[in-house]
Amino acid sequence: MQEYLKALKISENVYWVGVIDWNIRNFHGYSTERGTTYNAFLVIDEKITLIDTVKEPFYDQMMARISSIIDPSKIDYIVSNHAEMDHSGALPLAVRDIKPEKIFSSQMGQKNLNAQLDIGMEITVVKTGDNVSIGKNELHFIQTPMLHWPDSMVTYLKNEKILFSQDAFGMHLAGGKLFYDEYDTWLLDWEHEKYFANILMTYSGKILQLLQELPEMNLDIAMICPDHGPLIRHQDDISRVLKLHEKWSSQRPEKRVSVIYDTMWEATSRMAASIADGVRSVGVDVEEICMTSSDRSHVATMISRSGAIAVGSSTLNNNLMPSMADVLTYLRGLKPLNKIGFSFGSFGWSGEAVKQLNDYLTEMNVEMINQGLRFKYSPTVEELKQCFDAGVELAQKLIDKIEKQEK
Amino acid sequence: MQKYECDVCGYIYDPAAGDPDNGVKPGTTFEDVPNDWVCPLCGVTKEDFSPID
């Protein structure tokens, strides 16, 4: 297939040769409302180096961009920072057409690439501290296991001072601009936190460790180039992004409550409304999220932004609603920390849902403020008042917790 | 006491520190760590750990 696309220069000898996936809306269950990009980079030096590739169906687009400045067969090295298919899927085709002298990855990268793909050549393993000279520039490798796969590593390009950070510090955002400073801050912050919450939250401890180790490495970073979303080129933006990641990874409680529920005949939803109103009555921000019309990746973002949660479900065939099992299974995997909360739900006769919700909250180490609110059929006004009061109590406990932490 | 490293993600189990967050007291040798314990970083079982220097 023929494509006509241009490489975009981002620094003296470095070009963006990635692709924009405008239309993706479901990224393994993460709703990418604004699409995404798969960033790949070409370093023109004595040894021409391609850093990461793209998702397989976009191979031709990447090659077209590369071809706009050089004959792709002139590429000497390919670096694979991350073995996930959205960055490695096109690697076998690239190897076939480019026939590079070497491919570099971490040891787990070598294992994971070979376990997923038929690469067609040997992979050279590099580890933290290894340097490979490519002419004026030098590739410096730093392993970042579990950020967010065992194979993950980042590559620092000395001389041009660029940190190619693979999925760390990225976001899913397709756009006509390449750089972070060319977008509105509200949009960047929302998409960045959404990406953090859905992809990185579970490894918060590793992010904090990396943020601590980065200054000790004495890397002079002029630009951070993640594998998704805009490139960060200004010092104040770089510190801003690092600070935001420090804040999100620390998971200090935010003064906001998420009320997440699903309902059959509007009894549980009325309970949710009264709980949320109780929260609001003491001046704490609240969002009601009904899983009939929302998706799990939105909930994950809101969990990152909330110090407290209330989870509710009707009882359906002696179980909680499947949509609640879905979102709570997802959240449990993301390992949010430091939350307080409780469960609630209406039921007809047996009412197992609240106990099952409590089990999820226990596994997520949520500090529960009560045993859960369970009411039969349609809640009475008195029962709805209990919901309101529980909302007040949850919000008040959150305020107290935040004040205590600030002291 | 012998330390063990996770073959998948590189997490190091140090018996002196244990893994108190997941119910393993400091001073527990790797052999005495319960069989249902998993790597706190990536979630694989004890079988994926190897002794390190």
Side-chain angles (χ1 to χ4, degrees):
Chain A
M1 206 191 299
Q2 296 291 313
E3 310 276 356
Y4 186 83
L5 297 163
K6 298 278 193 188
L8 300 175
K9 189 170 182 164
I10 61 166
S11 148
E12 202 185 334
N13 297 296
V14 184
Y15 294 80
W16 177 82
V17 291
V19 300
I20 306 173
D21 190 350
W22 292 97
N23 301 312
I24 188 168
R25 290 294 177 271
N26 183 336
F27 193 101
H28 57 56
Y30 175 146
S31 71
T32 43
E33 288 138 3
R34 297 182 174 92
T36 193
T37 67
Y38 313 110
N39 298 332
F41 304 93
L42 190 67
V43 186
I44 305 292
D45 210 325
E46 284 168 34
K47 292 283 185 187
I48 297 176
T49 303
L50 176 64
I51 298 183
D52 291 323
T53 67
V54 297
K55 213 171 175 175
E56 200 261 10
F58 296 93
Y59 172 68
D60 289 337
Q61 291 192 24
M62 178 185 78
M63 290 303 267
R65 291 194 199 280
I66 293 171
S67 305
S68 73
I69 41 171
I70 56 148
D71 171 358
S73 69
K74 294 211 156 60
I75 292 173
D76 301 285
Y77 295 157
I78 301 179
V79 175
S80 171
N81 280 323
H82 180 23
E84 197 166 7
M85 297 286 242
D86 47 339
H87 311 295
S88 66
L91 187 56
L93 295 172
V95 168
R96 180 197 66 190
D97 296 340
I98 292 169
K99 297 179 188 65
E101 187 186 324
K102 280 181 179 173
I103 302 176
F104 298 107
S105 83
S106 67
Q107 189 171 6
M108 283 311 291
Q110 180 196 47
K111 233 186 210 179
N112 293 352
L113 286 168
N114 286 326
Q116 293 180 98
L117 299 158
D118 183 5
I119 301 295
M121 67 177 278
E122 282 283 299
I123 295 169
T124 305
V125 169
V126 289
K127 56 183 191 311
T128 296
D130 285 355
N131 294 296
V132 172
S133 172
I134 57 169
K136 274 188 285 181
N137 274 292
E138 199 173 274
L139 305 168
H140 177 73
F141 303 104
I142 303 158
Q143 289 165 268
T144 55
M146 300 322 286
L147 273 183
H148 65 117
W149 274 23
D151 47 79
S152 299
M153 68 172 194
V154 299
T155 301
Y156 176 70
L157 189 68
K158 282 185 191 169
N159 198 30
E160 311 241 350
K161 302 174 185 170
I162 300 177
L163 184 70
F164 297 98
S165 65
Q166 44 98 28
D167 279 353
F169 313 120
M171 69 178 87
H172 286 312
L173 176 62
K177 300 289 187 180
L178 202 50
F179 293 102
Y180 186 88
D181 48 278
E182 298 175 300
Y183 289 87
D184 290 335
T185 308
W186 66 265
L187 175 60
L188 293 167
D189 286 358
W190 173 262
E191 293 300 343
H192 233 162
E193 187 162 8
K194 184 169 186 176
Y195 189 89
F196 164 81
N198 284 277
I199 306 289
L200 303 171
M201 184 197 283
T202 187
Y203 304 113
S204 288
K206 293 295 287 182
I207 298 178
L208 290 174
Q209 192 188 331
L210 178 68
L211 291 174
Q212 205 169 29
E213 287 169 1
L214 261 184
E216 294 161 15
M217 293 176 198
N218 288 319
L219 304 177
D220 181 6
I221 301 171
M223 200 185 306
I224 295 181
C225 293
D227 272 355
H228 296 288
L231 319 179
I232 311 151
R233 64 179 167 182
H234 292 156
Q235 283 306 315
D236 49 350
D237 287 334
I238 291 174
S239 11
R240 184 169 190 279
V241 166
L242 297 181
K243 265 186 206 142
L244 283 171
H245 279 77
E246 194 275 330
K247 179 186 157 198
W248 298 327
S249 308
S250 303
Q251 301 200 38
R252 289 182 286 271
E254 296 281 322
K255 202 169 144 189
R256 187 177 291 107
V257 176
S258 287
V259 181
I260 305 145
Y261 69 95
D262 205 351
T263 189
M264 291 170 67
W265 295 107
E266 310 309 330
T268 301
S269 71
R270 287 165 61 221
M271 293 174 74
S274 290
I275 292 165
D277 219 44
V279 172
R280 196 179 295 121
S281 74
V282 285
V284 171
D285 190 11
V286 64
E287 181 163 316
E288 277 177 55
I289 308 169
C290 178
M291 295 317 296
T292 307
S293 50
S294 195
D295 80 283
R296 64 178 91 93
S297 58
H298 175 74
V299 175
T301 317
M302 291 312 296
I303 286 288
S304 172
R305 296 159 61 86
S306 304
I309 55 172
V311 292
S313 178
S314 325
T315 294
L316 173 66
N317 299 328
N318 307 107
N319 276 281
L320 78 170
M321 302 276 286
S323 59
M324 289 307 293
D326 175 315
V327 72
L328 288 168
T329 303
Y330 186 62
L331 291 179
R332 186 178 58 188
L334 293 174
K335 297 185 189 148
L337 302 172
N338 215 8
K339 309 293 179 196
I340 59 173
F342 68 87
S343 305
F344 63 96
S346 152
F347 66 102
W349 48 98
S350 57
E352 289 86 346
V354 165
K355 187 194 168 296
Q356 293 173 357
L357 292 170
N358 280 342
D359 290 345
Y360 271 105
L361 295 185
T362 304
E363 285 174 348
M364 287 160 64
N365 296 315
V366 173
E367 186 192 319
M368 284 185 271
I369 67 158
N370 59 39
Q371 303 286 307
L373 301 174
R374 285 168 84 241
F375 298 128
K376 269 194 171 179
Y377 290 102
S378 283
T380 63
V381 171
E382 175 49 37
E383 286 166 342
L384 290 173
K385 184 181 177 300
Q386 288 180 44
C387 292
F388 184 95
D389 292 345
V392 170
E393 190 190 345
L394 184 64
Q396 199 53 56
K397 287 217 154 106
L398 178 60
I399 294 171
D400 294 347
K401 186 176 172 180
I402 292 170
E403 280 175 359
K404 213 168 157 187
Q405 290 211 342
E406 279 169 357
K407 271 179 197 167
Chain B
M1 279 187 285
Q2 179 68 53
K3 290 181 185 176
Y4 278 73
E5 183 174 15
C6 174
D7 299 334
V8 173
C9 73
Y11 169 85
I12 291 168
Y13 178 78
D14 178 357
D19 179 18
D21 289 348
N22 296 296
V24 180
K25 285 184 188 143
T28 310
T29 63
F30 189 74
E31 291 71 25
D32 289 339
V33 170
N35 282 330
D36 60 357
W37 177 85
V38 295
C39 173
L41 190 50
C42 74
V44 298
T45 59
K46 278 177 76 177
E47 287 170 19
D48 285 312
F49 278 71
S50 306
I52 51 158
D53 302 333

